[in-house]
Amino acid sequence: MATSPIQLAVHSRLLSYGSTESTKLVPSSSGNRGKIVCSLRKLELEDMNFSGIGRNNDQEAPRRAHRRKALSASRISLVPSAKRVPTYLFRTDIGGQVKVLVERTNGKYNVLVEVLPLELSYAHSELVMVWGLFRSDASCFMPLDLNRRGADGKSSTVETPFVQGPSGKVTVELDFEASLAPFYISFYMKSQLVSDMENSEIRSHRNTNFVVAVGLSSGHPAPLGISFQPDGSVNFALFSRSARSVVLCLYDDISVEKPSLEIDLDPYINRSGDIWHAALDCSLPFKTYGYRCKATTSGKGELVLLDPYAKVIRRVIPRQGGSEIRPKYLGELCLEPGYDWSGDVPPSLPMEKLIIYRLNVTQFTKDKSSKLPDDLAGTFSGISEKWHHFKDLGVNAMLLEPIFPFDEQKGPYFPWHFFSPGNMYGPSGDPFSAIKSMKDMVKKLHANGIEVFLEVVFTHTAEDAPLMNVDNFSYCIKGGQYLNIQNALNCNYPIVQQMILDCLRHWVIEFHIDGFVFVNASSLLRGFNGEILSRPPLVEAIAFDPILSKVKMIADNWNPLTNDSKENLFPHWRRWAEINMRFCDDIRDFLRGEGLLSNLATRLCGSGDIFAGGRGPAFSFNYIARNSGLTLVDLVSFSSNEVASELSWNCGQEGATTNNIVLQRRLKQVRNFLFILFISLGVPVLNMGDECGQSSGGSPAYDARKSLGWNTLKTGFGTQIAQFISFLSNLRMRRSDLLQKRTFLKEENIQWHGSDQSPPKWDGPSSKFLAMTLKADAEVSQTLVSDIVGDLFVAFNGAGDSEIVILPPPPTDMVWHRLVDTALPFPGFFDEKGTPVEDELVAYEMKSHSCLLFEAQRLAEIDSSKRKKQIRLSSKRQ
């Protein structure tokens, strides 16, 4: 039975070039019957575009349905060979087998079709292979200049006889120029029986054409993302369970609207489980790539999506009047650039030794006052240039706000992608400069003893993030209403958990990151339906991951969606630290004249109510102000009803003022906040701008924050606060035996006092004074480099009146030295060596809203000059 050329094609649109001028193939002279050599005459690469654009959508659905059936019928299986040559094995409709080998040699693709012996059991006069090539539409083959045209004017197929060689094998061999690939060969066989001289067609066992890919292999399902193989190919792998089809889109020019090449992945060859994969020759002239994922539940199948695992991404510049389906980002088809990490030694600081400074990469140096060149301002390189600022403050760890690409309308806490830094943070704004400058920054900070932490957001994405369109069912949590967001990530679903772990490992291995702060950490505890899990798989997996074993993990319950923090019992496996929101609230309450003394004491001693279960005070990351809510200066300047949740106090007058009494009270309160932050057990976390009085005008909104004004560091306020922070940092390190403990203080090492040495009134709501003596452990003190091993006496007065403080007797052969009195004017309110108290005096007048610190020092350490400056007290003796 005769078959028209149009019926020869398997109904599949697997690959498309959108060239309007078709490629021509011409045969080379060959003396071997059964072998055809095709050379490329013309390939309009510059005109390649999306397949299917402009095609009638009504015709597309049935065509694709037919295609899937045909591919299913082919039953193609890959047979491994010693040379890793792609080999296809087909079953035929008469019970035999056909083997096809595709091999690239000497710039050509050789396709060898072999009919196995069982197929030749019938007496044939002749066996012919009827074949054609297609890239886009299997119903219309690529034009071949072989004088074979169908009646309808469309390009026809080629009939090539099989040849029996000396070994008895019956084969057809075809050669194609490598520049023609990728494409598909569709064929069936036609034989003429000797007995009746009738033609008989041989197809697959399901009566479909045989289809073989040339220049395109099935690839591998792992690793996800792109990977470059030893054979010169690049492997693509994408997870999507819900997609009914996945199209790989390749671009050779990111300025165009449409891809240069589109590959519709065959679900029966290019899919393993829920992972779609393919491999292409690296020599093809493509620069970027993305995917189209068409699912039955999504109406965004035409969107070209960024690969969730792309390590280098390119921002696509939108054109005016461009298509709405134009992608925002595409993955770069390249290896992640190498970097020379030689000489880099991470500081690996113990948790209790940390002093952290949180900053926004852009806002840290973007202001003109940073005096950096425009290409460095607001970038990782800008931070590298200002590393000395961290050393001046005495901090040894830097916490970066999220650096992932993000939704520009909502800010960095709404990420687009997780595996690469935002291009905006590089000096030239391209992905390679961003990656290199970040690694340069990390290496330089490490060289100066400073660790680098990242804030990360894995609980949700930007509203139009590509991840949600890749597989909304798997990546998105059904109980999103609990999070007040529809694009909440299903973090404890296996594939999402794997992605997050892969992401964290990537940042540790490739960027040498020292720690992570997980924003909105309470949502990491939720299951697929929004329920709270007692043992969340992701949190546990992170705790026991070997690559992450030396990296600090900190949970932060602040929710950027609602701009608040919700306390919860976070499972820690003695591995997870936490941002301590109770510390912030209780210290704010005390300094505004509210709250109980017992709450203050608990925070001073490392928050045992939270961290006593197998962790310790080093797992408490304490803060007063952060990058959301009121700044440190605004905490003492605004307290209207609009900011009531901030627990602030304006010190007697709202907002800006020229009242000197109010200004002095505010200055004392700023000092008090910083003093308590550094004197408490736990890890102090400073916020960018705390050191120079940065204000957001009383607004708690994140977007109200301004760039750091470097000139404010030179003001009187900026100078004294920066120096005070430096002093407190040095104090913590010098007296690490009492202030940087990994374990809680022993009962015998701390003694609590009222103002007259009586027990404190713990539950008295009107009691606003608390003092404590921290007693040095003799055994620990002997191991310190410093000779100062005396006790510390600390007092806190949150009342509006002065208190006469009775100092306890100092240890034998020691004298109290005043190190801090926040009520004194600058520069005398803190002193590195301290001012000694006269031997016979044991009382001290403590001003309202102030803090004191005394240290016991040996008598031999008081020189004559110091004795002349001993404190004269007009207060009573004990």
Side-chain angles (χ1 to χ4, degrees):
M1 180 180 67
T3 305
S4 64
I6 198 69
Q7 294 174 319
L8 297 177
V10 59
H11 292 273
S12 174
R13 187 179 64 83
L14 293 177
L15 179 77
S16 68
Y17 278 103
S19 176
T20 55
E21 183 172 349
S22 302
T23 301
K24 301 287 187 177
L25 294 176
V26 296
S28 300
S29 60
S30 175
N32 296 327
R33 188 172 181 225
K35 179 174 181 179
I36 291 184
V37 180
C38 295
S39 61
L40 182 67
R41 173 180 291 177
K42 186 174 183 181
L43 179 58
E44 299 265 272
L45 286 175
E46 66 274 12
D47 292 331
M48 295 186 294
N49 54 30
F50 278 96
S51 66
I53 296 298
R55 182 178 294 134
N56 191 315
N57 291 331
D58 294 334
Q59 298 175 0
E60 185 69 11
R63 181 175 294 153
R64 290 185 176 274
H66 196 166
R67 176 192 68 213
R68 290 194 296 273
K69 294 178 182 179
L71 291 171
S72 175
S74 295
R75 287 287 189 183
I76 301 174
S77 61
L78 290 180
V79 179
S81 63
K83 295 183 179 180
R84 299 178 62 86
V85 176
T87 304
Y88 299 81
L89 187 63
F90 298 88
R91 291 169 53 194
T92 68
D93 56 1
I94 61 173
Q97 292 183 330
V98 175
K99 183 166 69 172
V100 182
L101 291 84
V102 180
E103 184 177 12
R104 180 173 178 173
T105 56
N106 299 323
K108 296 179 181 293
Y109 279 102
N110 176 263
V111 179
L112 180 66
V113 181
E114 179 184 352
V115 179
L116 299 186
L118 181 61
E119 196 69 33
L120 303 175
S121 58
Y122 298 93
H124 297 88
S125 61
E126 187 175 20
L127 186 64
V128 178
M129 174 176 155
V130 184
W131 59 275
L133 308 181
F134 70 92
R135 295 191 182 100
S136 174
D137 188 353
S139 65
C140 184
F141 289 144
M142 295 164 52
L144 304 176
D145 192 9
L146 296 170
N147 299 318
R148 304 283 296 184
R149 291 276 175 176
D152 57 359
K154 294 185 178 180
S155 59
S156 181
T157 57
V158 179
E159 294 188 2
T160 305
F162 280 85
V163 175
Q164 185 169 2
S167 61
K169 294 183 179 180
V170 178
T171 61
V172 166
E173 185 176 356
L174 305 175
D175 286 341
F176 301 93
E177 294 290 342
S179 57
L180 180 62
F183 60 88
Y184 285 87
I185 300 177
S186 175
F187 70 93
Y188 71 99
M189 294 176 293
K190 184 170 61 174
S191 65
Q192 191 174 53
L193 300 179
V194 175
S195 58
D196 53 13
M197 300 299 291
E198 292 182 359
N199 289 333
S200 175
E201 295 179 356
I202 303 174
R203 300 179 185 272
S204 76
H205 73 295
R206 295 208 176 166
N207 198 30
T208 58
N209 278 40
F210 308 102
V211 178
V212 176
V214 178
L216 168 70
S217 63
S218 63
H220 310 283
L224 291 172
I226 63 170
S227 55
F228 291 82
Q229 306 301 309
D231 62 359
S233 65
V234 56
N235 189 78
F236 300 82
L238 173 77
F239 172 89
S240 182
R241 171 175 292 181
S242 61
R244 58 182 175 84
S245 69
V246 172
V247 179
L248 173 61
C249 301
L250 301 170
Y251 294 76
D252 59 3
D253 182 357
I254 62 172
S255 65
V256 299
E257 286 280 339
K258 302 173 184 179
S260 305
L261 174 64
E262 178 181 89
I263 302 173
D264 197 346
L265 302 185
D266 183 347
Y268 300 99
I269 297 178
N270 301 109
R271 182 173 184 175
S272 298
D274 298 321
I275 297 177
W276 300 75
H277 47 83
L280 284 175
D281 191 336
C282 290
S283 64
L284 294 173
F286 301 113
K287 298 177 181 178
T288 56
Y289 74 102
Y291 295 96
R292 283 177 175 171
C293 296
K294 301 187 180 181
T296 55
T297 58
S298 174
K300 299 184 178 181
E302 294 302 317
L303 288 175
V304 179
L305 307 172
L306 176 65
D307 179 3
Y309 271 75
K311 305 302 191 303
V312 183
I313 67 173
R314 175 76 61 178
R315 178 66 189 266
V316 178
I317 302 174
R319 291 192 309 182
Q320 186 175 4
S323 171
E324 294 183 357
I325 65 173
R326 182 182 179 86
K328 289 188 177 181
Y329 292 95
L330 291 171
E332 287 274 357
L333 270 174
C334 65
L335 287 169
E336 190 169 359
Y339 187 77
D340 181 11
W341 284 106
S342 60
D344 180 66
V345 179
S348 299
L349 299 172
M351 197 112 74
E352 64 273 14
K353 303 293 184 182
L354 294 174
I355 301 173
I356 298 178
Y357 184 94
R358 185 204 310 260
L359 61 87
N360 177 284
V361 175
T362 300
Q363 294 179 345
F364 184 62
T365 59
K366 189 66 174 178
D367 192 86
K368 293 292 184 182
S369 60
S370 69
K371 297 182 180 179
L372 293 178
D374 291 342
D375 60 331
L376 299 185
T379 68
F380 296 124
S381 298
I383 295 176
S384 298
E385 293 294 320
K386 295 290 186 178
W387 66 270
H388 56 81
H389 180 64
F390 309 119
K391 300 297 287 186
D392 292 342
L393 294 176
V395 301
N396 53 23
M398 182 182 65
L399 172 58
L400 301 181
E401 290 183 15
I403 59 171
F404 303 154
F406 60 88
D407 183 340
E408 291 85 350
Q409 299 298 321
K410 292 192 173 182
Y413 291 95
F414 296 83
W416 254 78
H417 191 62
F418 300 107
F419 281 87
S420 63
N423 297 346
M424 61 186 292
Y425 303 124
S428 59
D430 69 87
F432 301 103
S433 70
I435 291 172
K436 183 181 184 302
S437 63
M438 181 176 180
K439 292 180 179 180
D440 287 341
M441 175 198 71
V442 172
K443 188 174 182 179
K444 188 166 189 176
L445 293 175
H446 281 179
N448 289 279
I450 301 173
E451 294 192 343
V452 180
F453 294 179
L454 296 184
E455 278 191 334
V456 291
V457 183
F458 290 121
T459 56
H460 60 273
T461 68
E463 291 183 4
D464 54 351
L467 192 63
M468 292 302 168
N469 293 311
V470 169
D471 189 339
N472 184 273
F473 180 81
S474 297
Y475 284 108
C476 188
I477 194 170
K478 283 187 174 180
Q481 66 272 15
Y482 293 99
L483 309 177
N484 299 317
I485 191 172
Q486 296 303 315
N487 51 316
L489 282 178
N490 188 12
C491 297
N492 288 296
Y493 192 70
I495 191 63
V496 186
Q497 175 182 324
Q498 177 189 339
M499 181 193 72
I500 294 173
L501 287 170
D502 288 342
C503 177
L504 295 173
R505 294 170 188 143
H506 172 72
W507 286 102
V508 171
I509 294 172
E510 296 295 330
F511 292 87
H512 292 202
I513 296 302
D514 303 288
F516 299 93
V517 174
F518 293 76
V519 176
N520 199 15
S522 58
S523 295
L524 298 176
L525 312 182
R526 294 192 179 274
F528 188 53
N529 295 305
E531 73 278 15
I532 297 293
L533 305 176
S534 60
R535 192 167 182 171
L538 174 62
V539 176
E540 184 174 8
I542 292 173
F544 293 102
D545 188 89
I547 295 178
L548 305 177
S549 61
K550 294 184 179 181
V551 178
K552 283 96 173 171
M553 299 294 172
I554 305 102
D556 183 1
N557 288 323
W558 176 67
N559 186 345
L561 304 169
T562 56
N563 197 24
D564 62 6
S565 299
K566 294 183 179 179
E567 186 180 345
N568 69 323
L569 186 62
F570 197 87
H572 54 79
W573 286 277
R574 301 186 179 184
R575 180 77 173 81
W576 282 81
E578 295 181 51
I579 299 291
N580 191 348
M581 56 174 288
R582 282 198 214 173
F583 179 91
C584 173
D585 291 347
D586 288 340
I587 303 306
R588 289 185 182 186
D589 262 341
F590 173 75
L591 289 181
R592 68 179 184 146
E594 299 184 16
L596 300 177
L597 293 181
S598 57
N599 292 339
L600 172 63
T602 301
R603 304 306 152 222
L604 291 170
C605 292
S607 299
D609 55 338
I610 303 174
F611 302 100
R615 289 186 285 181
F619 288 81
S620 174
F621 280 57
N622 304 328
Y623 72 97
I624 298 298
R626 59 177 302 153
N627 52 351
S628 65
L630 294 179
T631 67
L632 179 58
V633 166
D634 289 350
L635 276 176
V636 300
S637 305
F638 298 90
S639 54
S640 63
N641 292 334
E642 288 77 8
V643 293
S645 62
E646 295 291 317
L647 307 180
S648 57
W649 178 46
N650 62 19
C651 297
Q653 189 170 336
E654 187 73 5
T657 182
T658 57
N659 188 314
N660 189 60
I661 296 177
V662 173
L663 291 175
Q664 290 299 318
R665 190 178 296 137
R666 289 177 179 179
L667 180 59
K668 284 195 297 182
Q669 288 289 75
V670 169
R671 297 170 177 175
N672 293 339
F673 275 124
L674 292 172
F675 177 77
I676 296 176
L677 176 65
F678 278 80
I679 210 71
S680 302
L681 290 182
V683 176
V685 181
L686 291 167
N687 197 62
M688 183 185 76
D690 285 351
E691 71 272 34
C692 60
Q694 195 88 356
S695 173
S696 60
S699 171
Y702 173 81
D703 56 8
R705 295 301 174 97
K706 302 174 183 177
S707 296
L708 182 64
W710 289 87
N711 291 334
T712 58
L713 290 168
K714 301 175 184 178
T715 63
F717 180 91
T719 299
Q720 65 169 289
I721 295 302
Q723 290 183 14
F724 188 40
I725 292 173
S726 178
F727 162 80
L728 293 172
S729 299
N730 292 330
L731 175 68
R732 279 184 66 87
M733 292 184 284
R734 183 171 63 83
R735 293 311 309 267
S736 59
D737 59 318
L738 293 175
L739 303 180
Q740 290 184 330
K741 295 181 66 65
R742 193 171 185 86
T743 59
F744 292 103
L745 289 166
K746 299 176 183 177
E747 187 175 352
E748 59 267 25
N749 291 125
I750 186 168
Q751 185 176 357
W752 299 100
H753 317 283
S755 59
D756 56 357
Q757 290 294 300
S758 61
K761 300 177 182 179
W762 293 115
D763 298 322
S766 61
S767 181
K768 306 302 176 189
F769 179 88
L770 181 65
M772 64 179 181
T773 300
L774 300 178
K775 299 183 179 181
D777 191 320
E779 296 180 0
V780 175
S781 297
Q782 291 175 359
T783 65
L784 297 178
V785 176
S786 173
D787 293 328
I788 301 177
V789 293
D791 297 348
L792 295 179
F793 177 79
V794 193
F796 311 90
N797 183 14
D801 300 318
S802 298
E803 288 278 356
I804 302 300
V805 181
I806 306 299
L807 277 67
T812 305
D813 297 329
M814 289 190 173
V815 173
W816 289 118
H817 284 58
R818 186 194 67 214
L819 301 185
V820 176
D821 183 348
T822 59
L824 296 178
F826 176 75
F829 76 93
F830 66 92
D831 189 336
E832 190 75 38
K833 295 183 178 179
T835 305
V837 178
E838 290 184 349
D839 296 351
E840 68 274 13
L841 298 177
V842 292
Y844 188 90
E845 182 181 5
M846 187 177 186
K847 300 296 183 180
S848 62
H849 304 295
S850 66
C851 296
L852 290 175
L853 172 63
F854 288 86
E855 181 181 46
Q857 298 180 13
R858 293 189 179 95
L859 286 171
E861 296 166 356
I862 307 177
D863 56 28
S864 58
S865 62
K866 279 287 185 180
R867 287 185 179 277
K868 294 179 182 179
K869 297 180 181 179
Q870 287 178 334
I871 301 174
R872 304 292 178 180
L873 301 175
S874 57
S875 56
K876 64 179 182 179
R877 299 183 181 182
Q878 188 174 8

